[in-house]
C-alpha cells in the first residue's frame, strides 16, 4: 500500500489525482496534522508519496528511520508537481521505481533519482534480485569508482553487464613465464597480487575478506523424502545440516522438491513456508525413471519410486543437473528413526535469450519491459540501425554485436550461441521481434538448454493504424510483399484470399528500388473486389520524427510515394473516411 500525504491545496489536488489513478494501491492520510499522517503512513505502508518539500519531509521522517531493508520507500513531489524525488529507500524500498511511476501519472512531472548505481546505469548489487552478502557498500563503491573489481563466478550465470573495471581474474600465469614480458603484463600480475575487491557469484560458503561480497545465484534444488507426520523442525534441521556439511549456502536454494504423494504433508508444507521456498512435487512414475546413486526399497513400497530425495532434487534442478549431496537422513535427538531424507542437486546455469521488440521508433512506444530487458542483458544482438536507436539505454559494459542488413541467419545463430554459453542476451528488432523479424530464425536454432523470454512490441501495422484512425476495426491481415524468401505465387494467393474474404490488409515491405511491380499487382487483385473509392492509408516512418501520412483511395494511390519505410493499409468494402480519418466499422448491426 502507498500512503499519500499532503499539506497544501495544490498538494491535495495532486494527491487526489494519484489516488484516483491507483485506487487499489493507495491510501490517503488526511484529516490529521501532517506529522501524525507521516507517522501513521510510515508505520502502515510499504511506500509513501509526500506532496511536501524535501526539507519538511526529511525532518518529519528523521525520528522514524530504522533499517533500509524494512523502511518504506519515500518519494517527495514538489508544489508545482515538476519533480518526483526518490528520497529514501531507492532500491530496497522501491522508491526509484515509484518516483518513475509517480512522474508517469502526473503530467509534466519528472523522476529524480540520486542513488549512484541507477543514475549511472551500473547495476546495484541489491537490484539484481539475488541475495547478496558481505561488503556490499564497498564493492558497489569500487564498481562505481572504476577501481578494479575481480568477478569470480563459479559458473557462467546470465548476469547483466558490468563496466570494464569489473573483470574475471587474470588467467593464472603459465608455470614457465616467457621472458621479455611486456611491461603491462608485469603490472597486471602486480595488481593481481595486491588486495583486490572481489565480487563472488557462487552457492558455496566462503570466508569473505573485508572487500568481498557474494551474490547467491538460485542454483540449488533440495529433494526431500518424508514419513507421514514429520515435523517442520526436523525437515528444516535436516536441510540446514545437509547444506552446512557440504559448505553450501541456504540462500542459493531455489526450491524444495518431493513426490506427489507428499504434496499435502503438513510438516513439509510448513517447512517450505518457513523457508519461503516453493515446494514442487512430481509423480512417482517420473521420479522412478531418474537414475540415482542410492535407490531403496522402502519408498518403492510406500510411494512407488525407489528414490524420492535424490530423484526429486535432480528433477527439480532440470536438464544436466548434478547431484552434489547424496541422500542424507535426519538425526533425532531421542534416537527415534529418521522421518526425513534430503539430497541436493545443482542446476546447470541456463543462458537467457530475450526477443525484444523495440516498437515502431518513438521512445515512448517502447514498453517498459523491453527497456528492462535491454538493461538486463550483457550481450545485445541486432541490426546496426536498431542498436543506434537504443544504445543510450544499455548498461556500461554491454557487449554489442551489431551487423548490417541481410545477415539475419548469422545474427540469429550468434544470439543463440551466446545464450547457450550461459549469457544474458537480448536480440532486438523494430516493432515486434516476432513479426517478419528475428524471433523465428532464432527459435528455429534454439534448443531446450536456454531460457527464452519474448517481449512484444508495437508492430508497424498498429503504429500506422493509430495514426490513420481506426482502419483495423474489423478482421484484418498483414501481408509482406517481399518475395525474397517467399515465391510471388504464394503472396498473390494470400492477397487474393484477403480480397475475396473482404479483409482489411496491411502490406509490410511494400516496395523497394528493385521491387516495384508487386505493390501495384497486389492492389489490382484487391481492386477486383473493392471499389476505387476504398480508403487506403500510407504511413511512412510511423511515430518517428519524419513520419508521413497519406490518406488516399485504391483508385488514386500513387505507388511511387511508397518505399521500404512504409506500410500500406487498404480498407475493406465497409471502410470509410470520416473527418479525415480512416474508419472500419466493427460490423455490429446497430452501427449499420
Ligand atoms: N518487425 C517489424 C517489421 C519488420 S519488416 C514490425 O513489427 O513492425 C520491415 C517492414 O516493416 C518495413 O518494410 C515497413 O513496411 C514496416 N515498418 C517497420 N517500421 C515501420 C514504421 N515505423 N513505419 C512504417 N512502416 C514500418
Amino acid at each position: 500500500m502507498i500512503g499519500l500525504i499532503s499539506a497544501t491545496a495544490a498538494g491535495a489536488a495532486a494527491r487526489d489525482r494519484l489516488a484516483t489513478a491507483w485506487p487499489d494501491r493507495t491510501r490517503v492520510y488526511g484529516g490529521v496534522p501532517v506529522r501524525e499522517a507521516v507517522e501513521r503512513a510510515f508505520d502502515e505502508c510499504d511506500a509513501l508519496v509526500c506532496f511536501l518539500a524535501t526539507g519538511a519531509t526529511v525532518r518529519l521522517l528523521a525520528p522514524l528511520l530504522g533499517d533500509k531493508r524494512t523502511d518504506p520507500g519515500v518519494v517527495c513531489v514538489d508544489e508545482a508537481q515538476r519533480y518526483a524525488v526518490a528520497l529514501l529507500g531507492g532500491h530496497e524500498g522501491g522508491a526509484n521505481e515509484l518516483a518513475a511511476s509517480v512522474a508517469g501519472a502526473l503530467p509534466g512531472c519528472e523522476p529524480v533519482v540520486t542513488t549512484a548505481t541507477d543514475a549511472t546505469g551500473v547495476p546495484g548489487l541489491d537490484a539484481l534480485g539475488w541475495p547478496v552478502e558481505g561488503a556490499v557498500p564497498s564493492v558497489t563503491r569500487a564498481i562505481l569508482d572504476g577501481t578494479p573489481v575481480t568477478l569470480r563466478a563459479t559458473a557462467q550465470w546470465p548476469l547483466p553487464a558490468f563496466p570494464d573495471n569489473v573483470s574475471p581474474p587474470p588467467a593464472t600465469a603459465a608455470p614457465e613465464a616467457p621472458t621479455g614480458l611486456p611491461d603491462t603484463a608485469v603490472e597486471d600480475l602486480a595488481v593481481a597480487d595486491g588486495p583486490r575487491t572481489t565480487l563472488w557469484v557462487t552457492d558455496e560458503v566462503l570466508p569473505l575478506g573485508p572487500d568481498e561480497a557474494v551474490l547467491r545465484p538460485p542454483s540449488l534444488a533440495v529433494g526431500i523424502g518424508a514419513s507421514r507426520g514429520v515435523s517442520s523442525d526436523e525437515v528444516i534441521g535436516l536441510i540446514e545440516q545437509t547444506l552446512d556439511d557440504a559448505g553450501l549456502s541456504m540462500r542459493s536454494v531455489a526450491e524444495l522438491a518431493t513426490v506427489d504423494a507428499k504434496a499435502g504433508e503438513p510438516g513439509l508444507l510448513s517447512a517450505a513456508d518457513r523457508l519461503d521456498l516453493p515446494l514442487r512435487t512430481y509423480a512417482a512414475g517420473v521420479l522412478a525413471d531418474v537414475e540415482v546413486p542410492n535407490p531403496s526399497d522402502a519408498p518403492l513400497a510406500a510411494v512407488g519410486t525407489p528414490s524420492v530425495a535424490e530423484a526429486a532434487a535432480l528433477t527439480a534442478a532440470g536438464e544436466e543437473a548434478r547431484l552434489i549431496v547424496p541422500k542424507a537422513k535426519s538425526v533425532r535427538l531421542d534416537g527415534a528413526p529418521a522421518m526425513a531424507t534430503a539430497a541436493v542437486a545443482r542446476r546447470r546455469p541456463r543462458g537467457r535469450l530475450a526477443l525484444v521488440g523495440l516498437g515502431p521508433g518513438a521512445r515512448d512506444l517502447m514498453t517498459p519491459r523491453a527497456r528492462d530487458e535491454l538493461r538486463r542483458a550483457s550481450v545485445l544482438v541486432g541490426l546496426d540501425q536498431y542498436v543506434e536507436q537504443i544504445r543510450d539505454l544499455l548498461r556500461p559494459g554491454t557487449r554489442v554485436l551489431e551487423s548490417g542488413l541481410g545477415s539475419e541467419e548469422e545474427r540469429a545463430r550468434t544470439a543463440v550461441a551466446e545464450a547457450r554459453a550461459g549469457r544474458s542476451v537480448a536480440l532486438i528488432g523494430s516493432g515486434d521481434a516476432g513479426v517478419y523479424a528475428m524471433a523465428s530464425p532464432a527459435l528455429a536454432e534454439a534448443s531446450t538448454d536456454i531460457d527464452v523470454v519474448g517481449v512484444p512490441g508495437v508492430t508497424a501495422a498498429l503504429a500506422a493504424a493509430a495514426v490513420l484512425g481506426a482502419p483495423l476495426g474489423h478482421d484484418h491481415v498483414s501481408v509482406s510483399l517481399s518475395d525474397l524468401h517467399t515465391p510471388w505465387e504464394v503472396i498473390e494467393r494470400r492477397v487474393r484470399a484477403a480480397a475475396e474474404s473482404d479483409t482489411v490488409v496491411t502490406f509490410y515491405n511494400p516496395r523497394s528500388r528493385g521491387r516495384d511491380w508487386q505493390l501495384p499487382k497486389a492492389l489490382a487483385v484487391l481492386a477486383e473486389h473493392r471499389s476505387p473509392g476504398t480508403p487506403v492509408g500510407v504511413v511512412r516512418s510511423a511515430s518517428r520524427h519524419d513520419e508521413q501520412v497519406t490518406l488516399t483511395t485504391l483508385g488514386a494511390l500513387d505507388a511511387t510515394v511508397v518505399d521500404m519505410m512504409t506500410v500500406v493499409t487498404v480498407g475493406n468494402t465497409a471502410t470509410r473516411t470520416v473527418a479525415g480519418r480512416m474508419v472500419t466499422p466493427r460490423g455490429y448491426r446497430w452501427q449499420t
Side-chain angles (χ1 to χ4, degrees):
M1 188 55 66
I2 304 170
L4 305 179
I5 294 133
S6 64
T8 64
R15 174 200 73 190
D16 292 343
R17 186 191 274 266
L18 213 57
T20 314
W22 303 335
D24 302 330
R25 297 166 51 201
T26 51
R27 185 180 304 152
V28 171
Y29 286 81
V32 290
V34 173
R35 174 176 301 279
E36 200 181 323
V38 169
E39 282 168 7
R40 267 203 227 159
F42 198 87
D43 196 38
E44 295 170 6
C45 297
D46 317 310
L48 271 63
V49 179
C50 299
F51 297 86
L52 304 169
T54 50
T57 313
V58 167
R59 284 179 202 290
L60 290 166
L61 289 173
L64 310 176
L65 299 182
D67 185 320
K68 76 168 186 173
R69 281 170 302 183
T70 48
D71 284 347
V74 179
V75 170
C76 271
V77 178
D78 67 303
E79 182 79 0
Q81 295 134 52
R82 280 172 309 170
Y83 302 109
V85 184
L87 191 67
L88 198 67
H91 287 146
E92 304 195 25
N96 292 348
E97 261 174 55
L98 181 60
S101 4
V102 168
L106 300 173
C109 186
E110 273 182 54
V112 178
V113 169
T114 57
T115 41
T117 48
D118 285 83
T120 57
V122 169
L125 295 183
D126 53 349
L128 299 180
W130 291 356
V132 54
E133 298 159 22
V136 179
S138 85
V139 174
T140 305
R141 185 79 268 142
I143 295 176
L144 283 175
D145 289 349
T147 54
V149 176
T150 310
L151 179 66
R152 307 192 71 156
T154 45
Q156 174 71 56
W157 291 97
L159 298 170
F162 284 106
D164 289 348
N165 56 311
V166 182
S167 56
T172 28
E176 282 167 275
T179 49
L181 274 179
D183 285 353
T184 50
V186 173
E187 268 170 27
D188 279 352
L189 291 176
V191 171
D193 283 344
R196 297 274 291 201
T197 307
T198 302
L199 175 59
W200 294 87
V201 186
T202 179
D203 53 25
E204 289 165 30
V205 174
L206 310 162
L208 288 181
D211 289 320
E212 301 192 336
V214 56
L215 276 169
R216 296 295 184 196
S219 56
L220 305 174
V222 179
I224 312 277
S227 306
R228 181 168 309 153
V230 69
S231 72
S232 61
D233 283 345
E234 183 168 345
V235 173
I236 291 177
L238 171 64
I239 296 172
E240 285 174 347
Q241 189 61 49
T242 308
L243 292 170
D244 212 38
D245 290 348
L248 295 169
S249 169
M250 178 67 117
R251 301 180 88 188
S252 271
V253 176
E255 57 201 346
L256 306 182
T258 189
V259 64
D260 278 348
K262 300 291 173 186
E265 184 60 42
L268 274 188
L269 289 171
S270 139
D273 192 50
R274 285 169 56 192
L275 295 173
D276 198 17
L277 289 170
L279 174 67
R280 285 194 211 301
T281 67
Y282 299 96
V286 170
L287 299 185
D289 284 345
V290 180
E291 212 167 294
V292 296
N294 303 297
S296 71
D297 291 337
L300 184 61
V303 289
T305 166
S307 165
V308 174
E310 293 180 348
L314 281 167
T315 308
E319 268 176 69
E320 291 180 52
R322 284 193 309 122
L323 192 71
I324 50 172
V325 184
K327 182 172 68 176
K329 282 189 178 147
S330 49
V331 177
R332 295 180 46 172
L333 294 176
D334 57 7
M339 294 183 78
T341 55
V344 185
R346 186 182 271 145
R347 292 177 174 174
R348 175 188 173 284
R350 291 162 67 86
R352 193 166 187 281
L353 175 64
L355 304 163
V356 183
L358 301 179
R363 192 43 81 75
D364 60 354
L365 288 182
M366 181 189 301
T367 65
R369 193 179 295 186
R371 194 184 272 258
D372 287 349
E373 284 296 343
L374 297 177
R375 298 173 61 72
R376 201 189 178 296
S378 69
V379 181
L380 183 90
V381 184
L383 195 60
D384 39 17
Q385 70 200 63
Y386 302 146
V387 172
E388 274 329 301
Q389 217 176 303
I390 49 88
R391 199 181 283 279
D392 62 301
L393 294 177
L394 303 178
R395 290 195 193 276
T398 307
R399 195 149 53 89
V400 177
L401 305 173
E402 48 198 312
S403 50
L405 270 174
S407 39
E408 272 175 22
E409 284 195 356
E410 182 204 316
R411 269 203 302 284
R413 218 170 293 132
T414 306
V416 171
E418 290 287 338
R420 257 197 201 136
R423 303 198 175 92
S424 176
V425 182
L427 177 60
I428 58 170
S430 83
D432 184 276
V435 176
Y436 308 124
M438 294 302 301
S440 3
L443 294 190
E445 289 278 326
S447 41
T448 53
D449 57 354
I450 58 170
D451 292 326
V452 174
V453 180
V455 182
V458 175
T459 187
L462 297 185
V467 175
L468 291 167
L472 308 183
H474 210 290
D475 300 336
H476 53 275
V477 291
S478 292
V479 176
S480 167
L481 291 184
S482 168
D483 51 4
L484 217 58
H485 304 292
T486 310
W488 174 255
E489 299 69 55
V490 174
I491 298 172
E492 186 173 326
R493 194 157 13 107
R494 291 180 183 168
V495 176
R496 196 166 291 286
E500 286 166 0
S501 56
D502 197 25
T503 305
V504 176
V505 187
T506 302
F507 293 114
Y508 281 67
N509 301 307
R511 184 171 179 274
S512 67
R513 223 174 297 148
R515 232 169 13 80
D516 56 3
W517 57 264
Q518 288 84 346
L519 178 64
K521 175 71 195 164
L523 294 172
V525 172
L526 292 179
E528 290 170 25
H529 298 267
R530 296 175 201 189
S531 76
T534 304
V536 174
V538 179
V539 181
R540 183 174 193 280
S541 293
S543 91
R544 303 195 183 128
H545 64 93
D546 53 344
E547 175 181 285
Q548 278 172 25
V549 188
T550 313
L551 190 50
T552 174
T553 61
L554 204 45
L557 174 67
D558 172 11
T560 61
V561 303
V562 175
D563 65 8
M564 280 299 272
M565 305 299 294
T566 309
V567 283
V568 177
T569 299
V570 183
N572 66 14
T573 53
T575 306
R576 298 283 171 265
T577 303
V578 181
R581 303 186 187 97
M582 193 170 166
V583 181
T584 302
R586 291 195 58 192
Y588 291 138
R589 287 181 200 285
W590 51 261
Q591 277 188 326
T592 56

